[in-house]
Structure formats: C-alpha cells, structure tokens
C-alpha cells in the first residue's frame, strides 16, 4: 500500500524532490495544493506538470480514510464522524459549532491505554498510535464537510496525545505553519490526563501550544480511583510540571473537571479545587459527566450550580455545555467499535512512509 503524503515534513518532501531531480520550487506548489487548496486528488494539482502529478500518484495517497458513519445533533449540529483507517481500525472526530467558533475535536490514538473510569474510549484499550498524516487527515476530511470554517483544534478525541508526541507535534506544527493550515498557535489545545514527561516536552517547544489538564479530582486518593495514571504520575508532581509549563510558556492552563455525582462534586471538593488552582494562571472548565456507565453520572443541576457558584467567587469558571451528548459525541463518549481488537492490533499497520522519517 502506498503511504500518505500527509506524513511527510517539508524537509522530507524536499529530499524526495531532489531524488526525483525536480526543481526546489515544486515544494511550495505541493504544499499549497495539500494544505491551502486542500485538493483530494493529485490530478487537481494544476500548477504541476502532468507527468509529475502522475509520479506523485504512483508514490503516495492523498486521502486514506473511509467515512463509515456520520451523526448530526438535531439540537446544536455537533457532528461526529466515524472513519475507517487503511488497516481497518476505526476512530472518531467531532465538529462543534458555537457561534463563530468552530472547533474540531480530533483523535491521536486508536483507543487509549489510560482507562479513566468515566471515559468510553478508555474501555477500548489501546490499539495503536495514529500517524501525523492520520491526525492531519481528520482535519482535511472535516474541512470538506464542515458548515463553517475551522477556527480551533483540540486534541481531546480518542487517545492520550502526550503518549504520541512524535506524531502529534509534527501534525500540530502543520496546523500552525504558514505553508500549512496557517492557524494561530493559541487555537491549538493539547489535552492530557497527566503525562508529566509530555508536559515538560510541551513546555520546551519553541512555539508552545495551549495545554489543558484533565484534572477531575483534588486529592491523590480520589484521583487514583478514577484516573489510574495518577499512580504513575502523582498529583503533586503533576501540578509541579504544570507550574513549570506556565512559567516557561507564560500561557494560561485550563483545568478540565468532569463532575461526577458522589465522587468529586461536593461543596468541599469545590473549595479544594479553588485552593488547588490558586497558585496557577488557570481557567477552570467544568463538564457534567457524559458517560452511559451507571456508576458515573452527572450531579443534579442544583448541585452543579452550587459547585459553580463556590468556584466562581474566586476563579474564572466555565461550564462546557454537553454538546453532542445525545449522539455520543460529547467529552468522554467517543468509542469506535473495533470488535476484532486482538486480531487487528496484531496486524501490522501498513500506512508507513516509504522514506525514513526524520523527527523534528
Ligand atoms: S479521558 Fe482521555 S486519557 Fe482518559 S481514557 Fe479517555 S481518552 Fe484516554
């Protein structure tokens, strides 16, 4: 199977052009066709000679996903896409419309190894990492179907992005590059359940992206119960790494807090959250729990408002509306059926580039 051209950095494409004895200016022509014009077929690259278009077509594919299902919310038009990848595995991506803001929620892994108890994706286990090209293709595929232009991208779909930074970072850089998608770096948010080495790596980026920490509990003990990753990366160390990120990048961090009745939504929890967030330049985003799991359900509206009221007195707090919950597209609900999990995972993923990838 031919590799996706979306996996290649501009340096790798330059090498390919040299090997093919093509002039250097072809690089800009290719990038423009890929990311500005977003042509889905090489024959549309009208700035390139016909023979060279054929050569590209002989060596690469431009789109590798099959759209297998689409759900559109009748309430708010939130749209969830189910894609089949070349190796038969499936992932989901979501478009969220909020006024002029159009956010793409994209996946970084097929499934997720972290097993957060309130999250449907965690129940899939991890099948594999997505390639940079597959991360980028989600955006291209949704661009051709969106009702309004993309304004923001959040890595909050399936998977833990900081466990796949070798692919997530090249894709995120493509989203902000002038010869890529040209989005502002403040429009890209990478969310983590708390992978400390990944947070440190993000803090060291020359052009850092926005960070969201899926916090969800205010003590080591309560967080361990719902997020097993806390055993490996304890809450106090995690908060130190976030402090380091905000000090180095001068960026505000977002604490995401999924409210679960009887677990983390009491008045004492709200006050503890205020204390925890106090030293940080941070926004707090609460999200009433979305899972279908009977063990985890949202607090009553009255309790949510009380929680908001306590935090609001001291901190900026926003409540994320449960956009797309009725089509299982809301936070924590993404679950792609990958029934032959073991067999699929054993099968090699053959969407590999034909040249060695140089990591940036
Ligand atoms: S919440 Fe995020 S990190 Fe946790 S299991 Fe779900 S996808 Fe993975």
């Amino acid at each position: 199977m031919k590799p996706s051209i979306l996996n290649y950095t501009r340096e790798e494409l330059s090498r390919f052009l040299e090997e093919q004895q093509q002039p250097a200016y072809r690089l800009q022509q290719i990038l423009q066709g890929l990311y500005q014009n977003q042509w889905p077929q090489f024959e549309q690259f009208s700035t390139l000679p016909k023979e060279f278009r054929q050569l590209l077509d002989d060596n690469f594919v431009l789109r590798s996903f099959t759209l297998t299902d689409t759900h559109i919310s009748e309430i708010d038009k939130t749209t969830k896409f189910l894609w089949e990848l070349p190796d038969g595995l499936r992932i989901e991506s979501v478009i969220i419309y909020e006024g002029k803001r159009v956010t793409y929620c994209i996946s970084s892994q097929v499934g997720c190894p972290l097993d957060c108890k309130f999250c449907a994706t965690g129940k899939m286990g991890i099948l594999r990492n997505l390639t940079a090209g597959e991360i980028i293709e989600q955006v291209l595929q949704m661009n051709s179907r969106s009702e309004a232009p993309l304004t923001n991208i959040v890595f909050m779909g399936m998977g833990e992005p900081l466990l796949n930074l070798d692919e997530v970072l090249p894709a995120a850089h493509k989203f902000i590059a002038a010869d890529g998608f040209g989005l502002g770096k403040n429009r890209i948010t990478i969310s983590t359940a708390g992978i400390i080495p990944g947070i440190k790596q993000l803090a060291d980026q020359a052009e850092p992206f926005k960070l969201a920490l899926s916090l969800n509990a205010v003590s080591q003990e309560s967080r361990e119960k719902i997020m097993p990753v806390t055993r490996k990366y304890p809450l106090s160390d995690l908060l130190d790494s976030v402090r380091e990120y905000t000090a180095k990048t001068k960026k505000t961090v977002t604490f995401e807090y999924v409210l679960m009745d009887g677990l983390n939504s009491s008045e004492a929890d709200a006050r503890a959250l205020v204390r925890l967030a106090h030293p940080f330049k941070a926004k707090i985003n609460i999200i009433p729990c979305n899972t279908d799991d009977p063990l985890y359900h949202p607090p009553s509206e009255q309790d949510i408002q009380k929680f908001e009221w306590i935090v609001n007195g001291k901190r900026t707090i926003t409540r994320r509306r449960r956009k797309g919950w009725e089509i299982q597209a809301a936070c924590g609900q993404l679950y792609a059926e990958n029934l032959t999990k073991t067999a699929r995972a054993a099968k090699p993923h053959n969407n590999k580039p034909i040249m060695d990838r140089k990591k940036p």
Side-chain angles (χ1 to χ4, degrees), residues 112 115-125 291 293 335 341:
C112 182
D115 194 24
C116 302
K117 299 303 173 195
F118 50 87
C119 173
T121 308
K123 295 187 180 19
M124 292 171 63
T291 177
D293 189 326
Y335 181 94
K341 177 171 159 173

Side-chain angles (χ1 to χ4, degrees), residues 2-173:
K2 291 180 283 185
S4 166
I5 195 168
L6 304 175
N7 274 312
Y8 292 85
T9 62
R10 62 196 324 280
E11 292 72 26
E12 289 164 343
L13 286 173
S14 288
R15 282 217 308 282
F16 175 75
L17 290 172
E18 269 172 42
E19 282 163 20
Q20 301 301 325
Q21 297 173 338
Q22 291 288 325
Y25 61 79
R26 293 258 177 270
L27 177 65
Q28 280 315 317
Q29 294 173 320
I30 293 175
L31 293 173
Q32 191 166 22
L34 291 176
Y35 302 116
Q36 272 118 63
N37 300 318
Q38 306 192 359
W39 285 317
Q41 291 173 331
F42 287 116
E43 65 183 28
Q44 294 169 286
F45 284 54
S46 49
T47 50
L48 300 175
K50 238 181 170 175
E51 311 74 59
F52 187 56
R53 285 183 239 168
Q54 187 57 52
L55 182 95
L56 289 175
D57 200 36
D58 290 343
N59 282 279
F60 305 104
V61 293
L62 265 169
R63 300 287 183 271
S64 62
F65 293 2
T66 308
L67 178 63
T68 59
D69 213 350
T70 308
H71 294 278
I72 303 174
S73 162
E74 287 177 8
I75 300 169
D76 55 30
K77 289 198 175 168
T78 297
T79 306
K80 179 171 80 165
F81 302 94
L82 179 66
W83 315 108
E84 186 162 305
L85 308 177
D87 57 3
L89 292 175
R90 291 175 175 197
I91 56 165
E92 293 179 326
S93 332
V94 180
I95 302 180
I96 302 154
Y97 301 98
E98 290 169 294
K100 287 192 176 149
R101 191 182 167 106
V102 178
T103 304
Y104 290 2
C105 177
I106 59 175
S107 296
S108 55
Q109 298 182 304
V110 188
C112 182
L114 295 189
D115 194 24
C116 302
K117 299 303 173 195
F118 50 87
C119 173
T121 308
K123 295 187 180 19
M124 292 171 63
I126 177 70
L127 301 184
R128 70 168 169 85
N129 284 334
L130 293 182
T131 64
E134 288 167 332
I135 294 168
I136 292 167
E137 186 168 340
Q138 292 171 67
V139 174
L140 290 169
Q141 293 276 7
M142 290 195 282
N143 272 349
S144 66
R145 294 169 171 88
S146 178
E147 287 192 4
L150 159 72
T151 61
N152 294 71
I153 294 176
V154 293
F155 283 84
M156 292 184 186
M158 292 179 164
E160 165 53 61
L162 300 196
L163 289 178
N164 187 20
L165 272 180
D166 284 350
E167 304 296 324
V168 163
L169 283 177
H173 282 291

